[in-house]
PDB file of all heavy atoms in Angstrom:
ATOM      1  N   GLU Q   2      89.777 103.864 120.914  1.00 97.00           N
ATOM      2  CA  GLU Q   2      91.092 104.198 121.464  1.00 97.00           C
ATOM      3  C   GLU Q   2      91.593 105.455 120.748  1.00 97.00           C
ATOM      4  O   GLU Q   2      91.432 105.597 119.534  1.00 97.00           O
ATOM      5  CB  GLU Q   2      92.088 103.055 121.206  1.00 97.00           C
ATOM      6  CG  GLU Q   2      91.741 101.764 121.898  1.00 97.00           C
ATOM      7  CD  GLU Q   2      92.140 101.763 123.369  1.00 97.00           C
ATOM      8  OE1 GLU Q   2      92.854 102.689 123.803  1.00 97.00           O
ATOM      9  OE2 GLU Q   2      91.726 100.820 124.071  1.00 97.00           O
ATOM     10  N   HIS Q   3      92.202 106.348 121.493  1.00 97.00           N
ATOM     11  CA  HIS Q   3      92.709 107.600 120.936  1.00 97.00           C
ATOM     12  C   HIS Q   3      94.181 107.727 121.312  1.00 97.00           C
ATOM     13  O   HIS Q   3      94.522 107.831 122.482  1.00 97.00           O
ATOM     14  CB  HIS Q   3      91.904 108.774 121.499  1.00 97.00           C
ATOM     15  CG  HIS Q   3      92.303 110.101 120.928  1.00 97.00           C
ATOM     16  ND1 HIS Q   3      92.196 111.269 121.632  1.00 97.00           N
ATOM     17  CD2 HIS Q   3      92.808 110.428 119.713  1.00 97.00           C
ATOM     18  CE1 HIS Q   3      92.625 112.275 120.870  1.00 97.00           C
ATOM     19  NE2 HIS Q   3      92.998 111.787 119.712  1.00 97.00           N
ATOM     20  N   GLN Q  49     105.905  97.283 100.487  1.00 94.00           N
ATOM     21  CA  GLN Q  49     105.736  98.690 100.115  1.00 94.00           C
ATOM     22  C   GLN Q  49     106.092  98.847  98.646  1.00 94.00           C
ATOM     23  O   GLN Q  49     107.125  99.411  98.299  1.00 94.00           O
ATOM     24  CB  GLN Q  49     106.648  99.556 100.986  1.00 94.00           C
ATOM     25  CG  GLN Q  49     106.505  99.302 102.473  1.00 94.00           C
ATOM     26  CD  GLN Q  49     105.539 100.260 103.125  1.00 94.00           C
ATOM     27  OE1 GLN Q  49     104.371 100.356 102.729  1.00 94.00           O
ATOM     28  NE2 GLN Q  49     105.995 100.979 104.094  1.00 94.00           N
ATOM     29  N   HIS Q  52     102.262 101.439  92.394  1.00 93.00           N
ATOM     30  CA  HIS Q  52     102.160 102.004  91.064  1.00 93.00           C
ATOM     31  C   HIS Q  52     102.620 103.456  91.073  1.00 93.00           C
ATOM     32  O   HIS Q  52     102.132 104.263  91.859  1.00 93.00           O
ATOM     33  CB  HIS Q  52     100.678 101.936  90.680  1.00 93.00           C
ATOM     34  CG  HIS Q  52     100.329 102.706  89.478  1.00 93.00           C
ATOM     35  ND1 HIS Q  52     100.700 102.313  88.218  1.00 93.00           N
ATOM     36  CD2 HIS Q  52      99.638 103.853  89.338  1.00 93.00           C
ATOM     37  CE1 HIS Q  52     100.240 103.186  87.351  1.00 93.00           C
ATOM     38  NE2 HIS Q  52      99.590 104.132  88.001  1.00 93.00           N
ATOM     39  N   LEU Q  53     103.559 103.790  90.199  1.00 93.00           N
ATOM     40  CA  LEU Q  53     104.012 105.186  90.122  1.00 93.00           C
ATOM     41  C   LEU Q  53     103.589 105.867  88.822  1.00 93.00           C
ATOM     42  O   LEU Q  53     103.625 107.091  88.726  1.00 93.00           O
ATOM     43  CB  LEU Q  53     105.526 105.248  90.225  1.00 93.00           C
ATOM     44  CG  LEU Q  53     106.124 105.609  91.565  1.00 93.00           C
ATOM     45  CD1 LEU Q  53     107.617 105.772  91.454  1.00 93.00           C
ATOM     46  CD2 LEU Q  53     105.512 106.875  92.136  1.00 93.00           C
ATOM     47  N   ASN Q 146     113.872 110.806 106.584  1.00 89.00           N
ATOM     48  CA  ASN Q 146     114.236 109.674 107.456  1.00 89.00           C
ATOM     49  C   ASN Q 146     115.089 108.612 106.772  1.00 89.00           C
ATOM     50  O   ASN Q 146     115.140 107.474 107.240  1.00 89.00           O
ATOM     51  CB  ASN Q 146     112.972 109.044 108.078  1.00 89.00           C
ATOM     52  CG  ASN Q 146     112.132 108.319 107.050  1.00 89.00           C
ATOM     53  OD1 ASN Q 146     112.413 108.358 105.851  1.00 89.00           O
ATOM     54  ND2 ASN Q 146     111.112 107.632 107.514  1.00 89.00           N
ATOM     55  N   GLU Q 157     108.975  93.510  81.759  1.00 98.00           N
ATOM     56  CA  GLU Q 157     108.041  92.466  81.318  1.00 98.00           C
ATOM     57  C   GLU Q 157     107.120  92.072  82.457  1.00 98.00           C
ATOM     58  O   GLU Q 157     107.430  92.277  83.633  1.00 98.00           O
ATOM     59  CB  GLU Q 157     108.777  91.239  80.771  1.00 98.00           C
ATOM     60  CG  GLU Q 157     109.751  90.608  81.752  1.00 98.00           C
ATOM     61  CD  GLU Q 157     110.387  89.323  81.202  1.00 98.00           C
ATOM     62  OE1 GLU Q 157     110.301  89.055  79.987  1.00 98.00           O
ATOM     63  OE2 GLU Q 157     110.974  88.577  82.015  1.00 98.00           O
ATOM     64  N   ILE Q 158     105.986  91.495  82.074  1.00 98.00           N
ATOM     65  CA  ILE Q 158     104.956  91.065  83.020  1.00 98.00           C
ATOM     66  C   ILE Q 158     104.545  89.647  82.647  1.00 98.00           C
ATOM     67  O   ILE Q 158     104.344  89.358  81.458  1.00 98.00           O
ATOM     68  CB  ILE Q 158     103.727  92.004  82.930  1.00 98.00           C
ATOM     69  CG1 ILE Q 158     104.061  93.399  83.465  1.00 98.00           C
ATOM     70  CG2 ILE Q 158     102.527  91.419  83.669  1.00 98.00           C
ATOM     71  CD1 ILE Q 158     102.970  94.432  83.193  1.00 98.00           C
ATOM     72  N   VAL Q 160     101.563  86.917  83.632  1.00 98.00           N
ATOM     73  CA  VAL Q 160     100.266  86.764  84.307  1.00 98.00           C
ATOM     74  C   VAL Q 160      99.587  85.501  83.786  1.00 98.00           C
ATOM     75  O   VAL Q 160      99.573  85.282  82.568  1.00 98.00           O
ATOM     76  CB  VAL Q 160      99.313  87.945  83.988  1.00 98.00           C
ATOM     77  CG1 VAL Q 160      98.051  87.874  84.819  1.00 98.00           C
ATOM     78  CG2 VAL Q 160      99.998  89.276  84.196  1.00 98.00           C
ATOM     79  N   GLU Q 174      92.895  88.128  92.841  1.00 97.00           N
ATOM     80  CA  GLU Q 174      92.252  87.120  93.690  1.00 97.00           C
ATOM     81  C   GLU Q 174      92.297  85.759  93.005  1.00 97.00           C
ATOM     82  O   GLU Q 174      92.624  84.749  93.628  1.00 97.00           O
ATOM     83  CB  GLU Q 174      90.811  87.571  93.916  1.00 97.00           C
ATOM     84  CG  GLU Q 174      90.182  87.013  95.135  1.00 97.00           C
ATOM     85  CD  GLU Q 174      88.957  87.830  95.492  1.00 97.00           C
ATOM     86  OE1 GLU Q 174      89.105  88.999  95.889  1.00 97.00           O
ATOM     87  OE2 GLU Q 174      87.846  87.314  95.342  1.00 97.00           O
ATOM     88  N   HIS Q 188      96.712  87.857 104.555  1.00 98.00           N
ATOM     89  CA  HIS Q 188      95.274  87.705 104.352  1.00 98.00           C
ATOM     90  C   HIS Q 188      94.984  87.345 102.900  1.00 98.00           C
ATOM     91  O   HIS Q 188      95.632  87.866 101.998  1.00 98.00           O
ATOM     92  CB  HIS Q 188      94.546  89.026 104.651  1.00 98.00           C
ATOM     93  CG  HIS Q 188      94.935  89.668 105.948  1.00 98.00           C
ATOM     94  ND1 HIS Q 188      94.111  89.692 107.042  1.00 98.00           N
ATOM     95  CD2 HIS Q 188      96.078  90.297 106.338  1.00 98.00           C
ATOM     96  CE1 HIS Q 188      94.725  90.311 108.047  1.00 98.00           C
ATOM     97  NE2 HIS Q 188      95.915  90.691 107.646  1.00 98.00           N
TER      98      HIS Q 188
ATOM     99  N   GLU R   2     100.379  84.634  80.135  1.00 97.00           N
ATOM    100  CA  GLU R   2     100.471  85.790  79.245  1.00 97.00           C
ATOM    101  C   GLU R   2     101.804  86.480  79.514  1.00 97.00           C
ATOM    102  O   GLU R   2     102.221  86.615  80.666  1.00 97.00           O
ATOM    103  CB  GLU R   2      99.336  86.781  79.535  1.00 97.00           C
ATOM    104  CG  GLU R   2      97.954  86.242  79.268  1.00 97.00           C
ATOM    105  CD  GLU R   2      97.578  86.252  77.792  1.00 97.00           C
ATOM    106  OE1 GLU R   2      98.317  86.850  76.986  1.00 97.00           O
ATOM    107  OE2 GLU R   2      96.548  85.656  77.449  1.00 97.00           O
ATOM    108  N   HIS R   3     102.453  86.917  78.453  1.00 97.00           N
ATOM    109  CA  HIS R   3     103.743  87.580  78.577  1.00 97.00           C
ATOM    110  C   HIS R   3     103.669  88.926  77.869  1.00 97.00           C
ATOM    111  O   HIS R   3     103.477  88.984  76.664  1.00 97.00           O
ATOM    112  CB  HIS R   3     104.836  86.692  77.941  1.00 97.00           C
ATOM    113  CG  HIS R   3     106.217  87.241  78.081  1.00 97.00           C
ATOM    114  ND1 HIS R   3     107.201  87.018  77.167  1.00 97.00           N
ATOM    115  CD2 HIS R   3     106.785  88.012  79.060  1.00 97.00           C
ATOM    116  CE1 HIS R   3     108.324  87.621  77.562  1.00 97.00           C
ATOM    117  NE2 HIS R   3     108.090  88.223  78.694  1.00 97.00           N
ATOM    118  N   ILE R   4     103.789  89.981  78.631  1.00 97.00           N
ATOM    119  CA  ILE R   4     103.712  91.331  78.061  1.00 97.00           C
ATOM    120  C   ILE R   4     105.068  91.987  78.288  1.00 97.00           C
ATOM    121  O   ILE R   4     105.567  92.017  79.422  1.00 97.00           O
ATOM    122  CB  ILE R   4     102.604  92.144  78.753  1.00 97.00           C
ATOM    123  CG1 ILE R   4     101.254  91.446  78.539  1.00 97.00           C
ATOM    124  CG2 ILE R   4     102.571  93.578  78.237  1.00 97.00           C
ATOM    125  CD1 ILE R   4     100.171  91.908  79.488  1.00 97.00           C
ATOM    126  N   GLN R  49      97.141 104.851  97.418  1.00 94.00           N
ATOM    127  CA  GLN R  49      98.608 104.819  97.479  1.00 94.00           C
ATOM    128  C   GLN R  49      99.050 105.510  98.760  1.00 94.00           C
ATOM    129  O   GLN R  49      99.584 106.620  98.738  1.00 94.00           O
ATOM    130  CB  GLN R  49      99.183 105.542  96.267  1.00 94.00           C
ATOM    131  CG  GLN R  49      98.618 105.062  94.944  1.00 94.00           C
ATOM    132  CD  GLN R  49      99.493 103.991  94.328  1.00 94.00           C
ATOM    133  OE1 GLN R  49      99.769 102.963  94.934  1.00 94.00           O
ATOM    134  NE2 GLN R  49      99.943 104.228  93.133  1.00 94.00           N
ATOM    135  N   HIS R  52     103.259 103.331 104.929  1.00 93.00           N
ATOM    136  CA  HIS R  52     104.119 103.554 106.082  1.00 93.00           C
ATOM    137  C   HIS R  52     105.490 104.056 105.629  1.00 93.00           C
ATOM    138  O   HIS R  52     106.138 103.435 104.806  1.00 93.00           O
ATOM    139  CB  HIS R  52     104.267 102.199 106.776  1.00 93.00           C
ATOM    140  CG  HIS R  52     105.307 102.158 107.817  1.00 93.00           C
ATOM    141  ND1 HIS R  52     105.166 102.813 109.007  1.00 93.00           N
ATOM    142  CD2 HIS R  52     106.506 101.530 107.855  1.00 93.00           C
ATOM    143  CE1 HIS R  52     106.249 102.588 109.744  1.00 93.00           C
ATOM    144  NE2 HIS R  52     107.062 101.813 109.069  1.00 93.00           N
ATOM    145  N   LEU R  53     105.926 105.169 106.199  1.00 93.00           N
ATOM    146  CA  LEU R  53     107.260 105.680 105.846  1.00 93.00           C
ATOM    147  C   LEU R  53     108.236 105.592 107.000  1.00 93.00           C
ATOM    148  O   LEU R  53     109.445 105.669 106.812  1.00 93.00           O
ATOM    149  CB  LEU R  53     107.168 107.134 105.398  1.00 93.00           C
ATOM    150  CG  LEU R  53     107.167 107.409 103.908  1.00 93.00           C
ATOM    151  CD1 LEU R  53     107.237 108.893 103.637  1.00 93.00           C
ATOM    152  CD2 LEU R  53     108.299 106.698 103.198  1.00 93.00           C
ATOM    153  N   ASN R 146     108.305 111.593  86.748  1.00 90.00           N
ATOM    154  CA  ASN R 146     106.986 111.701  86.100  1.00 90.00           C
ATOM    155  C   ASN R 146     106.022 112.644  86.811  1.00 90.00           C
ATOM    156  O   ASN R 146     104.804 112.561  86.621  1.00 90.00           O
ATOM    157  CB  ASN R 146     106.337 110.313  85.933  1.00 90.00           C
ATOM    158  CG  ASN R 146     105.922 109.709  87.258  1.00 90.00           C
ATOM    159  OD1 ASN R 146     106.192 110.262  88.326  1.00 90.00           O
ATOM    160  ND2 ASN R 146     105.246 108.585  87.206  1.00 90.00           N
ATOM    161  N   GLU R 157      97.356 112.108 115.376  1.00 98.00           N
ATOM    162  CA  GLU R 157      96.517 111.263 116.240  1.00 98.00           C
ATOM    163  C   GLU R 157      95.961 110.097 115.452  1.00 98.00           C
ATOM    164  O   GLU R 157      95.877 110.125 114.229  1.00 98.00           O
ATOM    165  CB  GLU R 157      95.393 112.070 116.891  1.00 98.00           C
ATOM    166  CG  GLU R 157      94.465 112.760 115.907  1.00 98.00           C
ATOM    167  CD  GLU R 157      93.300 113.478 116.583  1.00 98.00           C
ATOM    168  OE1 GLU R 157      93.323 113.666 117.805  1.00 98.00           O
ATOM    169  OE2 GLU R 157      92.350 113.834 115.854  1.00 98.00           O
ATOM    170  N   VAL R 160      91.139 104.278 116.782  1.00 98.00           N
ATOM    171  CA  VAL R 160      90.947 102.854 116.464  1.00 98.00           C
ATOM    172  C   VAL R 160      89.880 102.285 117.404  1.00 98.00           C
ATOM    173  O   VAL R 160      89.930 102.548 118.607  1.00 98.00           O
ATOM    174  CB  VAL R 160      92.244 102.042 116.703  1.00 98.00           C
ATOM    175  CG1 VAL R 160      92.089 100.607 116.222  1.00 98.00           C
ATOM    176  CG2 VAL R 160      93.438 102.685 116.053  1.00 98.00           C
ATOM    177  N   GLU R 174      90.990  93.745 109.677  1.00 97.00           N
ATOM    178  CA  GLU R 174      89.883  92.882 109.249  1.00 97.00           C
ATOM    179  C   GLU R 174      88.705  93.056 110.207  1.00 97.00           C
ATOM    180  O   GLU R 174      87.555  93.189 109.782  1.00 97.00           O
ATOM    181  CB  GLU R 174      90.376  91.450 109.259  1.00 97.00           C
ATOM    182  CG  GLU R 174      89.630  90.526 108.360  1.00 97.00           C
ATOM    183  CD  GLU R 174      90.459  89.270 108.113  1.00 97.00           C
ATOM    184  OE1 GLU R 174      91.499  89.367 107.436  1.00 97.00           O
ATOM    185  OE2 GLU R 174      90.069  88.209 108.613  1.00 97.00           O
ATOM    186  N   HIS R 188      87.841  94.713  97.805  1.00 98.00           N
ATOM    187  CA  HIS R 188      87.864  93.357  98.357  1.00 98.00           C
ATOM    188  C   HIS R 188      87.852  93.403  99.877  1.00 98.00           C
ATOM    189  O   HIS R 188      88.507  94.268 100.475  1.00 98.00           O
ATOM    190  CB  HIS R 188      89.141  92.625  97.929  1.00 98.00           C
ATOM    191  CG  HIS R 188      89.450  92.720  96.468  1.00 98.00           C
ATOM    192  ND1 HIS R 188      89.289  91.664  95.605  1.00 98.00           N
ATOM    193  CD2 HIS R 188      89.894  93.754  95.700  1.00 98.00           C
ATOM    194  CE1 HIS R 188      89.628  92.041  94.375  1.00 98.00           C
ATOM    195  NE2 HIS R 188      90.002  93.310  94.413  1.00 98.00           N
TER     196      HIS R 188
END
Side-chain angles (χ1 to χ4, degrees):
Chain Q
E2 296 280 350
H3 183 210
Q49 308 265 57
H52 168 72
L53 260 186
N146 70 354
E157 57 176 14
I158 291 170
V160 187
E174 203 163 292
H188 312 252
Chain R
E2 296 281 350
H3 183 210
I4 299 163
Q49 308 266 56
H52 169 70
L53 260 187
N146 69 355
E157 58 176 13
V160 187
E174 204 162 291
H188 312 253

